[in-house]
Amino acid sequence: MGTVHSARPRVRTGVMTIVIAGLIGTASGSPGAQWFTYPSPGAPRTADGKVALGAPTPRLANGKPDLSGVWMTGDPLCVIRGVASVSDLLKMNPRSLKCPPSTATFSRHSINIGIDMAGGLPYQPWLATLVDERTAKQSVDDPHIRCLPDFFVRAYGLPHFLKFSHTPDLLLMLNEYNGTYRQVFTDGRPLPTDPNPSWQGYSIGAWEGDTLVIDSAGFRDDLWLDWAGSMVTGAGRIRERITRTHFGQLEIEIAVDDPKAYTRPWSVTFRQQFAADTELIDEICGENETFSEKIK
């Protein structure tokens, strides 16, 4: 496989080294030919020329917050030693352990999205058994390591940059991994009835003050939320509440209601940090991919 350029480092550690190194080593092209250090257009600057992450929230023409930008996790996972149970994850990564974000990397919620929930995620018995089995096998059947699209919830915590392009009627989310996209329509349309199940589902949004509330449904079955194999099924519905608290940070509350997979609704909050002076990279997993053959 290819190598990752020094201008765009990625995490490589733990039991998942083969998986991670294979996936994050698919970037192509040379640093000089891409915009890895080009100044973020329109970003406010401090006196020393750095992006002022604490500057006020930018606004769209209609006065609502503009969520545009290149984003990465704002809550990195400090210690990664493969797929593990929540109890083991907390031993390695207590809530008091903090790692300042510096590049796209794994988020605190990437191994198990329920890491900070008392008792963990409220799995239905069948899913609890399946997650235990997947964890014991180090998630070798993970669709991500087989170069399939990442579900948008999971994408918030993976070591790949996301780019949001925002207009009053549409929020377009671009994922550099496999060039996938998601559309959030804010033009007043309803969710479709009886939609064809898809990898990202179907999403509509409306504003509550300065918070964009997004409702999504129409998912495929078994869309992974984390490395452990927690999932959303076709019966699931997701509500996001996205707030740009200041220029450099998004706060994203995710509420999942999926009675097929969970005994009750649950929610988790992510933070995304603005990735200054960089751009998305052409990162196609299937190009020269060999891992799926090695694990047969």
Side-chain angles (χ1 to χ4, degrees):
M1 286 194 158
T3 57
V4 175
H5 304 304
S6 60
R8 293 290 298 278
R10 294 288 197 269
V11 174
R12 301 172 184 243
T13 184
V15 180
M16 292 187 291
T17 298
I18 296 177
V19 176
I20 297 169
L23 290 173
I24 65 182
T26 54
S28 60
S30 63
Q34 301 188 48
W35 298 295
F36 292 143
T37 59
Y38 192 82
S40 300
R45 301 278 168 173
T46 60
D48 61 359
K50 296 180 179 179
V51 172
L53 298 179
T57 300
R59 301 275 168 174
L60 296 168
N62 63 2
K64 295 299 183 182
D66 184 352
L67 306 184
S68 299
V70 178
W71 301 97
M72 61 187 183
T73 181
D75 289 319
L77 186 66
C78 299
V79 180
I80 304 175
R81 293 177 183 165
V83 185
S85 66
V86 169
S87 59
D88 287 341
L89 286 172
L90 285 173
K91 290 176 184 176
M92 293 182 284
N93 296 274
R95 293 179 180 87
S96 59
L97 185 62
K98 303 293 183 183
C99 303
S102 59
T103 188
T105 186
F106 292 97
S107 79
R108 179 171 177 79
H109 303 89
S110 60
I111 308 299
N112 191 300
I113 198 171
I115 184 173
D116 291 326
M117 296 176 60
L121 290 173
Y123 298 120
Q124 291 284 2
W126 68 269
L127 182 53
T129 299
L130 182 57
V131 169
D132 286 345
E133 291 173 353
R134 287 172 168 174
T135 298
K137 295 178 180 179
Q138 289 295 297
S139 299
V140 295
D141 53 348
D142 184 350
H144 178 86
I145 66 176
R146 296 173 184 274
C147 297
L148 294 171
D150 292 321
F151 188 41
F152 67 85
V153 175
R154 189 178 185 189
Y156 289 133
L158 288 173
H160 312 284
F161 287 118
L162 303 176
K163 184 173 185 177
F164 292 3
S165 181
H166 201 184
T167 71
D169 291 336
L170 177 68
L171 173 61
L172 182 62
M173 300 181 173
L174 308 176
N175 184 346
E176 66 179 359
Y177 181 76
N178 281 337
T180 54
Y181 70 92
R182 177 190 180 205
Q183 299 181 95
V184 179
F185 292 98
T186 54
D187 56 2
R189 72 182 66 188
L191 284 171
T193 58
D194 193 27
N196 186 45
S198 75
W199 287 94
Q200 307 301 328
Y202 302 81
S203 300
I204 58 172
W207 291 97
E208 290 185 3
D210 282 348
T211 296
L212 182 60
V213 181
I214 303 172
D215 288 310
S216 301
F219 309 122
R220 294 167 56 103
D221 267 329
D222 199 11
L223 291 175
W224 286 38
L225 296 169
D226 52 31
W227 282 101
S230 310
M231 70 166 75
V232 166
T233 74
R237 294 180 71 95
I238 293 178
R239 171 166 285 188
E240 295 159 271
R241 299 178 61 87
I242 303 181
T243 305
R244 191 166 189 169
T245 55
H246 43 269
F247 182 84
Q249 181 172 286
L250 298 178
E251 192 166 283
I252 306 175
E253 179 186 325
I254 307 281
V256 175
D257 186 1
D258 187 346
K260 182 178 177 181
Y262 303 95
T263 58
R264 58 176 172 81
W266 54 271
S267 64
V268 64
T269 299
F270 300 151
R271 276 172 288 277
Q272 293 280 297
Q273 180 170 302
F274 184 82
D277 303 335
T278 192
E279 264 297 346
L280 304 188
I281 189 172
D282 190 14
E283 192 171 350
I284 306 303
C285 173
E287 186 176 19
N288 300 322
E289 190 277 327
T290 60
F291 179 77
S292 60
E293 293 297 320
K294 294 177 181 177
I295 61 176
K296 284 184 177 180

